[in-house]
Amino acid sequence: MSAGRVVLGVCGGIAAYKSVYLLRLLVQQGYSVQVIATQEALRFVGPVTWAALSGRPVLSELYDQKTGKWHNHVHLAQDVDLIVVAPLTAHTMAKWACGLCDNLLLAVLQSARVPVFVAPAMDSDMYAFGPNRENMQKLESLGVRILPADYGPLASGETGQGRMAEPDFIFDRLECFMDGLPSLRDVRVLITAGPTREYLDAVRFVSNASTGKMAFSLAHAFRNCGARVHLICGPTALRPPHDCQITWVTTAREMEEACKNVQGEWDIFVGAAAVSDFYFPNPSERKLKKEHLPAALPIAFNPDIVAYMATQASEKQLVVGFALESENPPKQARHKLIQKNLDLVVANCVQEEGAGFGLHTNHVWLVDRRGSLTEIPLQSKNKVAAQIVKHVGEIYLRKLHAGSENLS
Ligand code: PMT
């Protein structure tokens, strides 16, 4: 069964090579993909590559010169679940924004009724060029979802903003999209992510297997709602979404400090990090010799960040916690909700195969202050995140408009 039907539009820029990886990610995850490339795009990556990976011929012209076959752009634009254009060049963007239509991709884009995501890619000066910014804004005002270009080295040899978003970023953003996501435009979301580390000496520490994936998927889903996201991240090998504000921390106390520093600058707080409950007071600045390691390690308790954030929250702010449990996650989640005075708890089970740490999948239960329990079955963390964010967004908007909810 197809995970979804996608049109992948490709324009003529060097970043077209990165879209090969995007296509591969989509196909590997079960999406059926029709590639529509401009003639310029086919100079960068040939038709055989697109056809081999998508399993269907790449389309480019409004009609086939040899057979005279006409490609129905309305059918292509509307009989899919979403369209993504990566890379989007300045030229195609300009033609699209002013309604010019001289190729199949433009005809499809102008007939689209499904969500359209675009990943612009160009040199940094072009990216900053006024008319290009205006075209981007114009498309955005028409409902097109812009995946902003990243900073870094460019094909020109310069460094700046203009690099196409990475394929895994684009894939995550698409997978974190679902119908019915509430609009949270400019709502400020603060999320803790990943593990913390508590050092015993210069090289040894206690931590856990959190990768930050669940938190980063939430960040993508919130961005899909138009929210502004600030991630406070413990050490992780995964790259957080580049269009979020990032604060890196190591220990739980640093994470708490970072959260306190932005007190009053958030509307929704999500504690998705796996925070160590304890630390070692007075860690050695040097590597301890094996023979000097103490037989027993004194510990001190870390602050409970999410509980602290709940004590500081105003009527209009929403605090969401997680609960990682070995047994009966919904029951434990209800307990944590009351104990820490949270608005919502997302429970997952560390014992369950496919759920919890590290993996790209999860199975969660949502427990809220009305006493309702919602189960989100095992699926990719991106899809789980979209459903969590839909739920969180609805509670937030209700709270914003109607005041706080009563504990049942
Ligand atoms: O990062 P991944 O590999 O994708 O894995 C995702 C996850 C398993 C880490 C995530 O889904 C998850 O469950 N995060 C919370 C893990 C956890 O620490 O659970 P807990 O039951 O110990 O803590 C309950 C809540 O209190 C959490 O919101 C936690 O962030 C918070 N907490 C805990 C201790 C502490 N000192 N301060 C806190 O804020």
Side-chain angles (χ1 to χ4, degrees), residues 305-324:
I305 301 166
V306 76
Y308 171 79
M309 297 305 268
T311 64
Q312 301 301 304
S314 73
E315 290 274 288
K316 302 285 180 200
Q317 288 172 308
L318 188 97
V319 182
V320 179
F322 268 69
L324 182 60

Side-chain angles (χ1 to χ4, degrees), residues 192 194 209-215 271-277 302-307 321-325 336 340 348 356-359 362 381:
T192 63
S210 171
T211 57
K213 174 67 193 161
M214 190 69 245
V275 186
S276 172
D277 287 316
N302 273 323
D304 191 313
I305 301 166
V306 76
F322 268 69
L324 182 60
E325 305 296 342
K336 278 190 173 141
K340 302 191 186 193
N348 42 192
F357 283 135
L359 308 148
N362 210 354
K381 281 183 177 165

Side-chain angles (χ1 to χ4, degrees), residues 232-289:
I232 299 192
C233 299
T236 164
L238 285 187
R239 197 167 172 247
H242 70 261
D243 60 350
C244 296
Q245 187 184 340
I246 314 290
T247 302
W248 291 103
V249 295
T250 304
T251 66
R253 283 166 298 154
E254 286 171 16
M255 189 172 270
E256 186 205 28
E257 193 59 34
C259 289
K260 283 183 172 171
N261 285 344
V262 290
Q263 194 56 265
E265 293 171 28
W266 52 272
D267 303 302
I268 300 174
F269 175 83
V270 184
V275 186
S276 172
D277 287 316
F278 62 86
Y279 67 100
F280 304 109
N282 309 315
S284 167
E285 283 177 10
R286 295 164 164 270
K287 182 184 173 194
L288 289 172
K289 291 274 179 216

Side-chain angles (χ1 to χ4, degrees), residues 176-188:
C176 285
F177 180 80
M178 66 182 275
D179 279 344
L181 278 178
S183 169
L184 298 175
R185 196 170 178 82
D186 292 332
V187 170
R188 299 160 304 168

Side-chain angles (χ1 to χ4, degrees), residues 62-75:
L62 281 156
Y63 60 93
D64 189 314
Q65 303 261 13
K66 283 191 202 131
T67 62
K69 189 179 172 218
W70 175 69
H71 298 301
N72 186 333
H73 57 88
V74 175
H75 165 81

